[in-house]
Amino acid sequence: MKKIEAIIRPGKLEELKEELAGAGIEGITVSSVLGHGRQKGHAQIYRGQEVLPQLLPKVKIEIVTLDAKVPVILDLILRVARTGCVGDGKIFVIPVEEAIRIRTGDSGERGI
């Protein structure tokens, strides 16, 4: 099993959710987060002065899935979230040792 964490632009969330659902991917966790990478924020004018924000709004999507589904999910996220501009985000793939469904006690693949 793997956990896929994707940090993307907020404006791409709805399209990504639709595409994941269409591909039969169930069970995602979505969080609003703040951060920056190479773009380090963009300048804004506030009361006549330029202000550089330190952190930009992003969305973090987490999906725990079977190893076999990882390439499909990665391709889907890349296709939907990529604009070609700095700030598109990052994807991390992390090994998962165990998953347990609290309601039933199912574990492993059945726990997803």
mmCIF file of all heavy atoms in Angstrom, residues 12-31:
data_model
loop_
_atom_site.group_PDB
_atom_site.id
_atom_site.type_symbol
_atom_site.label_atom_id
_atom_site.label_comp_id
_atom_site.label_asym_id
_atom_site.label_seq_id
_atom_site.Cartn_x
_atom_site.Cartn_y
_atom_site.Cartn_z
ATOM 1 N N LYS A 12 -7.719 23.810 -8.752
ATOM 2 C CA LYS A 12 -7.711 22.525 -9.451
ATOM 3 C C LYS A 12 -8.440 21.423 -8.670
ATOM 4 O O LYS A 12 -8.602 20.313 -9.161
ATOM 5 C CB LYS A 12 -6.263 22.076 -9.711
ATOM 6 C CG LYS A 12 -5.506 22.975 -10.654
ATOM 7 C CD LYS A 12 -6.089 22.865 -12.040
ATOM 8 C CE LYS A 12 -5.277 23.610 -13.069
ATOM 9 N NZ LYS A 12 -5.764 23.332 -14.420
ATOM 10 N N LEU A 13 -8.886 21.722 -7.446
ATOM 11 C CA LEU A 13 -9.458 20.695 -6.580
ATOM 12 C C LEU A 13 -10.710 20.056 -7.149
ATOM 13 O O LEU A 13 -10.812 18.829 -7.197
ATOM 14 C CB LEU A 13 -9.751 21.265 -5.185
ATOM 15 C CG LEU A 13 -10.424 20.301 -4.209
ATOM 16 C CD1 LEU A 13 -9.568 19.069 -3.979
ATOM 17 C CD2 LEU A 13 -10.750 21.008 -2.906
ATOM 18 N N GLU A 14 -11.675 20.848 -7.576
ATOM 19 C CA GLU A 14 -12.948 20.283 -8.047
ATOM 20 C C GLU A 14 -12.753 19.368 -9.251
ATOM 21 O O GLU A 14 -13.310 18.275 -9.307
ATOM 22 C CB GLU A 14 -13.957 21.391 -8.352
ATOM 23 C CG GLU A 14 -14.495 22.076 -7.115
ATOM 24 C CD GLU A 14 -15.100 21.116 -6.094
ATOM 25 O OE1 GLU A 14 -15.861 20.212 -6.487
ATOM 26 O OE2 GLU A 14 -14.802 21.269 -4.904
ATOM 27 N N GLU A 15 -11.951 19.812 -10.203
ATOM 28 C CA GLU A 15 -11.689 18.988 -11.385
ATOM 29 C C GLU A 15 -10.988 17.693 -10.987
ATOM 30 O O GLU A 15 -11.322 16.617 -11.491
ATOM 31 C CB GLU A 15 -10.841 19.759 -12.391
ATOM 32 C CG GLU A 15 -10.580 18.994 -13.668
ATOM 33 C CD GLU A 15 -9.712 19.748 -14.656
ATOM 34 O OE1 GLU A 15 -9.329 20.915 -14.399
ATOM 35 O OE2 GLU A 15 -9.393 19.143 -15.700
ATOM 36 N N LEU A 16 -10.045 17.777 -10.058
ATOM 37 C CA LEU A 16 -9.331 16.579 -9.619
ATOM 38 C C LEU A 16 -10.272 15.613 -8.911
ATOM 39 O O LEU A 16 -10.227 14.405 -9.153
ATOM 40 C CB LEU A 16 -8.160 16.950 -8.716
ATOM 41 C CG LEU A 16 -7.306 15.779 -8.236
ATOM 42 C CD1 LEU A 16 -6.743 14.970 -9.407
ATOM 43 C CD2 LEU A 16 -6.183 16.275 -7.338
ATOM 44 N N LYS A 17 -11.147 16.125 -8.048
ATOM 45 C CA LYS A 17 -12.110 15.259 -7.359
ATOM 46 C C LYS A 17 -12.997 14.530 -8.363
ATOM 47 O O LYS A 17 -13.242 13.334 -8.225
ATOM 48 C CB LYS A 17 -12.973 16.075 -6.394
ATOM 49 C CG LYS A 17 -12.257 16.469 -5.136
ATOM 50 C CD LYS A 17 -13.054 17.276 -4.130
ATOM 51 C CE LYS A 17 -14.468 17.576 -4.424
ATOM 52 N NZ LYS A 17 -15.127 18.450 -3.453
ATOM 53 N N GLU A 18 -13.468 15.241 -9.385
ATOM 54 C CA GLU A 18 -14.306 14.628 -10.424
ATOM 55 C C GLU A 18 -13.552 13.540 -11.179
ATOM 56 O O GLU A 18 -14.088 12.456 -11.432
ATOM 57 C CB GLU A 18 -14.819 15.690 -11.394
ATOM 58 C CG GLU A 18 -15.832 16.625 -10.792
ATOM 59 C CD GLU A 18 -16.202 17.768 -11.727
ATOM 60 O OE1 GLU A 18 -15.864 17.697 -12.939
ATOM 61 O OE2 GLU A 18 -16.830 18.740 -11.254
ATOM 62 N N GLU A 19 -12.320 13.822 -11.539
ATOM 63 C CA GLU A 19 -11.510 12.848 -12.280
ATOM 64 C C GLU A 19 -11.208 11.616 -11.428
ATOM 65 O O GLU A 19 -11.245 10.490 -11.925
ATOM 66 C CB GLU A 19 -10.211 13.489 -12.766
ATOM 67 C CG GLU A 19 -10.400 14.527 -13.840
ATOM 68 C CD GLU A 19 -10.793 13.937 -15.185
ATOM 69 O OE1 GLU A 19 -10.415 12.786 -15.484
ATOM 70 O OE2 GLU A 19 -11.481 14.645 -15.940
ATOM 71 N N LEU A 20 -10.896 11.812 -10.153
ATOM 72 C CA LEU A 20 -10.642 10.678 -9.263
ATOM 73 C C LEU A 20 -11.891 9.811 -9.123
ATOM 74 O O LEU A 20 -11.818 8.584 -9.204
ATOM 75 C CB LEU A 20 -10.180 11.164 -7.889
ATOM 76 C CG LEU A 20 -8.767 11.746 -7.814
ATOM 77 C CD1 LEU A 20 -8.548 12.464 -6.486
ATOM 78 C CD2 LEU A 20 -7.715 10.658 -8.016
ATOM 79 N N ALA A 21 -13.036 10.443 -8.933
ATOM 80 C CA ALA A 21 -14.295 9.699 -8.811
ATOM 81 C C ALA A 21 -14.585 8.933 -10.102
ATOM 82 O O ALA A 21 -14.995 7.767 -10.065
ATOM 83 C CB ALA A 21 -15.441 10.640 -8.470
ATOM 84 N N GLY A 22 -14.337 9.577 -11.241
ATOM 85 C CA GLY A 22 -14.549 8.924 -12.529
ATOM 86 C C GLY A 22 -13.640 7.734 -12.758
ATOM 87 O O GLY A 22 -13.992 6.795 -13.478
ATOM 88 N N ALA A 23 -12.481 7.747 -12.122
ATOM 89 C CA ALA A 23 -11.527 6.638 -12.247
ATOM 90 C C ALA A 23 -11.765 5.576 -11.176
ATOM 91 O O ALA A 23 -11.002 4.621 -11.070
ATOM 92 C CB ALA A 23 -10.099 7.166 -12.148
ATOM 93 N N GLY A 24 -12.813 5.758 -10.363
ATOM 94 C CA GLY A 24 -13.126 4.763 -9.339
ATOM 95 C C GLY A 24 -12.274 4.869 -8.085
ATOM 96 O O GLY A 24 -12.226 3.942 -7.282
ATOM 97 N N ILE A 25 -11.622 6.000 -7.905
ATOM 98 C CA ILE A 25 -10.794 6.198 -6.716
ATOM 99 C C ILE A 25 -11.690 6.754 -5.614
ATOM 100 O O ILE A 25 -12.225 7.851 -5.735
ATOM 101 C CB ILE A 25 -9.622 7.171 -6.981
ATOM 102 C CG1 ILE A 25 -8.797 6.712 -8.179
ATOM 103 C CG2 ILE A 25 -8.769 7.337 -5.736
ATOM 104 C CD1 ILE A 25 -8.226 5.322 -8.071
ATOM 105 N N GLU A 26 -11.849 5.973 -4.563
ATOM 106 C CA GLU A 26 -12.684 6.388 -3.442
ATOM 107 C C GLU A 26 -11.781 6.720 -2.267
ATOM 108 O O GLU A 26 -10.660 6.251 -2.170
ATOM 109 C CB GLU A 26 -13.623 5.263 -3.049
ATOM 110 C CG GLU A 26 -14.542 4.820 -4.163
ATOM 111 C CD GLU A 26 -15.307 3.565 -3.813
ATOM 112 O OE1 GLU A 26 -14.955 2.911 -2.825
ATOM 113 O OE2 GLU A 26 -16.247 3.245 -4.542
ATOM 114 N N GLY A 27 -12.266 7.522 -1.372
ATOM 115 C CA GLY A 27 -11.534 7.792 -0.144
ATOM 116 C C GLY A 27 -10.366 8.731 -0.320
ATOM 117 O O GLY A 27 -9.241 8.304 -0.549
ATOM 118 N N ILE A 28 -10.643 10.017 -0.248
ATOM 119 C CA ILE A 28 -9.575 11.010 -0.264
ATOM 120 C C ILE A 28 -9.756 11.922 0.945
ATOM 121 O O ILE A 28 -10.859 12.068 1.459
ATOM 122 C CB ILE A 28 -9.540 11.849 -1.562
ATOM 123 C CG1 ILE A 28 -10.786 12.729 -1.694
ATOM 124 C CG2 ILE A 28 -9.385 10.959 -2.776
ATOM 125 C CD1 ILE A 28 -10.693 13.746 -2.816
ATOM 126 N N THR A 29 -8.669 12.491 1.384
ATOM 127 C CA THR A 29 -8.693 13.485 2.444
ATOM 128 C C THR A 29 -8.156 14.778 1.851
ATOM 129 O O THR A 29 -7.130 14.773 1.173
ATOM 130 C CB THR A 29 -7.814 13.053 3.636
ATOM 131 O OG1 THR A 29 -8.307 11.808 4.135
ATOM 132 C CG2 THR A 29 -7.827 14.089 4.738
ATOM 133 N N VAL A 30 -8.865 15.875 2.097
ATOM 134 C CA VAL A 30 -8.479 17.169 1.547
ATOM 135 C C VAL A 30 -8.294 18.152 2.693
ATOM 136 O O VAL A 30 -9.146 18.245 3.577
ATOM 137 C CB VAL A 30 -9.546 17.700 0.566
ATOM 138 C CG1 VAL A 30 -9.166 19.074 0.039
ATOM 139 C CG2 VAL A 30 -9.756 16.724 -0.573
ATOM 140 N N SER A 31 -7.178 18.877 2.677
ATOM 141 C CA SER A 31 -6.883 19.891 3.696
ATOM 142 C C SER A 31 -6.464 21.182 3.010
ATOM 143 O O SER A 31 -5.771 21.158 1.996
ATOM 144 C CB SER A 31 -5.726 19.448 4.594
ATOM 145 O OG SER A 31 -5.949 18.181 5.144
#
